[in-house]
Amino acid sequence: MRGFEKISFKEFKKIFGDDKELYEEYLLPRRASKNSAGYDILAIKDYVIKPKEILKIPTGLKVRMQNDEVLLIVVRSSMGFKYNVRLTNQVGVIDSDYYNNIDNEGHFFVSLQNEGEKDYIVKKGDAYAQGIFIKYLISDTDTASEIRKGGLGSTNKRKDEENE
């Protein structure tokens, strides 16, 4: 089973305030055509990204998928080609165990950087990134057994840091 869900209203309020109408009306990602690989992620509200500025955009979304799948977040092609706007991390990786983590329910964000010369405007409802589901393989010698305990960056602890 895979798909997108809205985060809870409780989690939504931490970022957007007590705007129930805004929560009810924003849309889940969708594909633009039957052969599109990516699910368009749509803006919950208007944003302006000034030249050389970085903006971290809350999606209001979490995603569930099979254990051997990952959701890759990439910028829409036209944004890079036409406006020189890109993801700050180039490709976002949402692991299956990020879903419903204890820190933020699995709410993922998209960080965009405007390398262009003009303000880049994202209107409410505009697609500004896309998510692509991918199956992946693991090596025969893989020994990973840890269970995710938090959100963004939570799997980056090294064993020597944990023992301090």
Side-chain angles (χ1 to χ4, degrees):
M1 179 167 218
R2 79 184 56 82
F4 296 93
E5 300 173 12
K6 290 183 179 185
I7 55 174
S8 70
F9 186 60
K10 178 182 175 185
E11 190 68 28
F12 181 88
K13 288 192 314 185
K14 293 177 185 176
I15 297 162
F16 293 102
D18 201 16
D19 190 340
K20 189 71 169 174
E21 184 177 329
L22 183 63
Y23 179 76
E24 295 295 333
E25 68 189 17
Y26 77 92
L27 301 174
L28 296 177
R30 63 178 198 270
R31 294 183 316 137
S33 70
K34 72 177 187 169
N35 292 325
S36 295
Y39 285 80
D40 290 333
I41 298 169
L42 309 174
I44 293 176
K45 62 180 205 163
D46 294 349
Y47 298 98
V48 176
I49 310 170
K50 301 207 172 293
K52 308 305 177 211
E53 183 178 53
I54 293 173
L55 184 63
K56 182 178 160 185
I57 302 174
T59 65
L61 303 169
K62 57 185 178 177
V63 61
R64 67 187 182 292
M65 64 195 105
Q66 303 299 313
N67 290 338
D68 63 346
E69 296 177 340
V70 62
L71 181 73
L72 300 180
I73 305 295
V74 295
V75 75
R76 296 185 69 237
S77 301
S78 62
M79 290 169 56
F81 277 102
K82 293 180 181 179
Y83 308 105
N84 205 8
V85 172
R86 65 198 63 192
L87 291 178
T88 58
N89 58 342
Q90 304 309 312
V91 176
V93 175
I94 312 297
D95 296 314
S96 62
D97 62 355
Y98 193 70
Y99 177 75
N100 275 344
N101 73 72
I102 60 172
D103 288 347
N104 66 4
E105 295 183 5
H107 183 196
F108 65 90
F109 291 65
V110 173
S111 181
L112 295 178
Q113 183 168 11
N114 182 353
E115 293 293 335
E117 305 288 324
K118 300 177 184 173
D119 288 358
Y120 184 75
I121 298 168
V122 180
K123 295 275 193 194
K124 180 179 178 179
D126 283 355
Y128 62 91
Q130 54 189 326
I132 302 171
F133 290 98
I134 303 285
K135 281 212 173 273
Y136 65 87
L137 303 172
I138 58 172
S139 73
D140 293 337
T141 58
D142 184 84
T143 60
S145 62
E146 296 295 317
I147 296 174
R148 180 183 294 274
K149 295 183 177 86
L152 184 65
S154 65
T155 60
N156 195 30
K157 290 194 178 199
R158 289 181 267 183
K159 293 292 180 194
D160 56 313
E161 292 175 336
E162 292 175 354
N163 294 327
E164 291 179 2

